[in-house]
Amino acid sequence: MAITSRAPAPGGVVPASSGPPAPPPDGLPRRGTAWAEGVERLRAAATTEPGRLRIIGAALAALVLLFGAVAVWEISGRVAAADDVVGRSQPLSADAASIYRSLADADTASSSGFLAGGQEPREVRSRYEKDIANASRLLVNAAASTTAGEDSRKQITLLSEQLPRYAGLIEQARATNKQGLPLGGAYLRYANEQMSTQLLPAAQRLYEAETGRLYTDYDEARALPLGSLGAGLLALTALVWVQRRNYRRTNRVLNHGLVAATTASLVLLLWLAAGHTVARSGLSEARTDGQESLKVLNDARIASLQARANENLTLVSRGAVLAEDKKSDKYDVDYANDMKDLDAGLALAAKLADDAAGRDPVARAAEGVRQWKGLHAAARETDLMGDYQGAVGQVIGDKDHPRPTGTAFDTVDASLEAAVVHEQREFTRAARDGLGALDGLVTGTAALAVVGAVAALLGIGRRLSEYR
């Protein structure tokens, strides 16, 4: 087959071919991606000692800064969680417990005032009004402050709606009682039912939600900063390796810049470990010696309040409300169950108390419970014998009964309040000590990381100057 050649165009120019472009002549550089060019430059730089030193210096500075960045991030989270424990979640948990106590105490005061008849004692009335006002105020604070979730807000809404209804029923019971009408007892029992089935369960759920958030903050504040510790060990290992390499190549023991970088990183690592250990210890003490005791004492105090309310309602109902066995008085059975819970709570509180200031009020409360049981048994026997007014006097007090069951209850309640105040103080002290251990750590971490990175660059720069 004959081979034909393409004739040149006028002027001697050969037309462009439609086929693939010919490869560039050998020896000419080929253009690639920016990443490929960067890798190629690093590879070329690594063939000389100055180039290797520059790469090492950049890597060291990056590792030290990475250590600092991870430490700042983790410690900032621990500080925020510990600050929440001290300033937000634990106070909210305590407020939720106070809401429960205020509601239970209001129910107790209202039944005590009802037993007194038309001439309700002023101090009993004031106690009831103070409890309702305190519960309302704490609900407003909780609505403005809580972040525990939708469940908490749901319970706060329920409490805010039901509390005025309960107060209205109590006022109806009081007004009817002053007129000497038996319908007042029905209003009071219905109000107590509303308190027992709606208000107190909602307050309990709110307390559990806020306490759950508190324990979540505890766990976050006490979590080990594993990322920071790992990054710190990696940075120190790299610094030691570079100094050993420098010694083997130059026979020089120390490089001031690298020594300074190593010192800054080591100080940061030790500060991080020590500060977190102290903070973890303080928060653990706050939880075991403070919060756990507070929870047990709050439960014991609530049991005592409910027992007192049921003791009063036993006389108010006069056997009109029966227990599940259809034979026993419901409120008397509930009183017995509440007293069992109170005994168990006091026994556990005595074990958790770690000093005399915590044990003494618990011991006084236990003695008050013992006296209360004896006085209650006598009042119950009087009531069963048909002496209703005598039983009322033994429960709320009169001229013939100067030491009623109410006196023993007041001793128990005051002693438990003193124990709660002490444990709250212990919690606050331990938690603040734990938080204080983290003071300045975030700022110090950032400063030391920057100093370490700059020192590493200066140390490598000193070696590079020897090649100029």
Side-chain angles (χ1 to χ4, degrees):
M1 182 175 63
I3 300 175
T4 61
S5 60
R6 175 175 276 180
V13 179
V14 178
S17 172
S18 60
D26 293 340
L28 295 180
R30 294 172 173 79
R31 292 184 60 82
T33 64
W35 172 260
E37 291 183 6
V39 171
E40 186 63 29
R41 290 176 182 176
L42 284 176
R43 185 181 295 115
T47 60
T48 64
E49 181 62 12
R52 285 191 288 269
L53 287 174
R54 291 188 179 92
I55 294 172
I56 290 172
L60 282 179
L63 282 175
V64 174
L65 290 176
L66 175 65
F67 173 30
V70 174
V72 167
W73 174 63
E74 287 193 325
I75 296 303
S76 295
R78 305 304 187 274
V79 170
D83 190 59
D84 282 344
V85 167
V86 176
R88 187 182 60 82
S89 53
Q90 201 281 329
L92 282 174
S93 176
D95 283 351
S98 294
I99 290 172
Y100 196 117
R101 285 198 307 269
S102 295
L103 293 174
D105 193 58
D107 201 44
T108 299
S110 64
S111 59
S112 297
F114 190 91
L115 282 177
Q119 300 299 322
E120 182 178 10
R122 180 176 299 178
E123 62 273 13
V124 175
R125 175 67 175 173
S126 297
R127 180 170 182 169
Y128 167 81
E129 292 176 344
K130 180 180 179 182
D131 287 331
I132 295 297
N134 189 53
S136 300
R137 177 181 59 82
L138 291 175
L139 282 172
V140 172
N141 291 342
S145 304
T146 186
T147 58
E150 185 63 28
D151 186 57
S152 287
R153 298 193 179 278
K154 181 179 178 181
Q155 305 311 321
I156 291 171
T157 300
L158 177 60
L159 288 166
S160 300
E161 291 175 351
Q162 293 298 325
L163 185 56
R165 296 176 185 176
Y166 169 82
L169 288 171
I170 292 298
E171 293 307 317
Q172 286 180 308
R174 179 178 288 113
T176 309
N177 189 42
K178 286 183 178 180
Q179 298 174 20
L181 301 176
L183 189 59
Y187 276 122
L188 184 66
R189 290 194 300 273
Y190 184 59
N192 174 261
E193 181 182 355
Q194 294 295 100
M195 177 65 75
S196 301
T197 60
Q198 295 192 38
L199 286 164
L200 290 181
Q204 178 68 25
R205 290 190 293 268
L206 176 62
Y207 173 67
E208 290 172 354
E210 296 298 343
T211 302
R213 178 58 187 169
L214 169 61
Y215 288 152
T216 298
D217 288 338
Y218 266 127
D219 293 338
E220 291 179 359
R222 295 174 65 252
L224 290 172
L226 297 179
S228 303
L229 297 175
L233 291 175
L234 179 61
L236 282 173
T237 300
L239 285 164
V240 171
W241 176 81
V242 170
Q243 290 177 87
R244 182 172 180 273
R245 178 183 184 276
N246 186 49
Y247 170 72
R248 294 181 65 181
R249 289 177 178 269
T250 66
N251 206 32
R252 294 173 183 170
V253 177
L254 299 177
N255 178 293
H256 293 165
L258 294 178
V259 169
T262 304
T263 301
S265 299
L266 181 60
V267 169
L268 175 53
L269 185 63
L270 293 176
W271 188 6
L272 176 67
H276 190 270
T277 299
V278 174
R280 185 183 177 90
S281 175
L283 291 171
S284 297
E285 180 184 353
R287 179 168 181 169
T288 56
D289 297 342
Q291 180 60 30
E292 295 299 329
S293 293
L294 281 171
K295 186 177 185 303
V296 171
L297 289 169
N298 283 326
D299 290 343
R301 194 175 182 193
I302 289 166
S304 72
L305 291 167
Q306 291 177 330
R308 178 60 176 171
N310 284 317
E311 181 180 51
N312 293 336
L313 287 167
T314 301
L315 294 174
V316 172
S317 67
R318 300 192 182 189
V321 183
L322 298 179
E324 293 181 357
D325 61 4
K326 304 302 181 182
K327 296 179 181 180
S328 305
D329 185 285
K330 174 186 180 300
Y331 298 113
D332 193 42
V333 172
D334 289 344
Y335 163 84
N337 292 332
D338 291 332
M339 293 302 280
K340 290 179 181 178
D341 292 340
L342 178 56
D343 285 336
L346 289 175
L348 183 55
K351 291 181 181 179
L352 291 175
D354 59 346
D355 56 12
R359 288 189 294 268
D360 289 347
V362 174
R364 290 195 300 271
E367 175 61 22
V369 169
R370 186 188 66 79
Q371 295 176 8
W372 185 3
K373 288 179 178 178
L375 294 169
H376 173 81
R380 188 68 181 139
E381 183 178 357
T382 301
D383 184 34
L384 293 175
M385 290 175 62
D387 185 3
Y388 176 78
Q389 291 301 326
V392 170
Q394 288 177 290
V395 170
I396 65 173
D398 57 22
K399 62 180 181 179
D400 296 325
H401 303 93
R403 185 168 174 76
T405 61
T407 302
F409 162 74
D410 289 339
T411 299
V412 173
D413 190 60
S415 299
L416 288 174
E417 182 178 9
V420 167
V421 170
H422 170 73
E423 296 299 338
Q424 181 66 52
R425 189 162 51 242
E426 289 292 292
F427 166 85
T428 303
R429 177 194 57 78
R432 284 181 176 171
D433 287 346
L435 178 60
L438 301 176
D439 283 347
L441 186 53
V442 173
T443 303
T445 295
L448 285 172
V450 171
V451 169
V454 171
L457 291 175
L458 291 176
I460 296 299
R462 177 65 177 172
R463 282 282 292 120
L464 284 172
S465 66
E466 298 173 0
Y467 288 88
R468 299 191 182 102

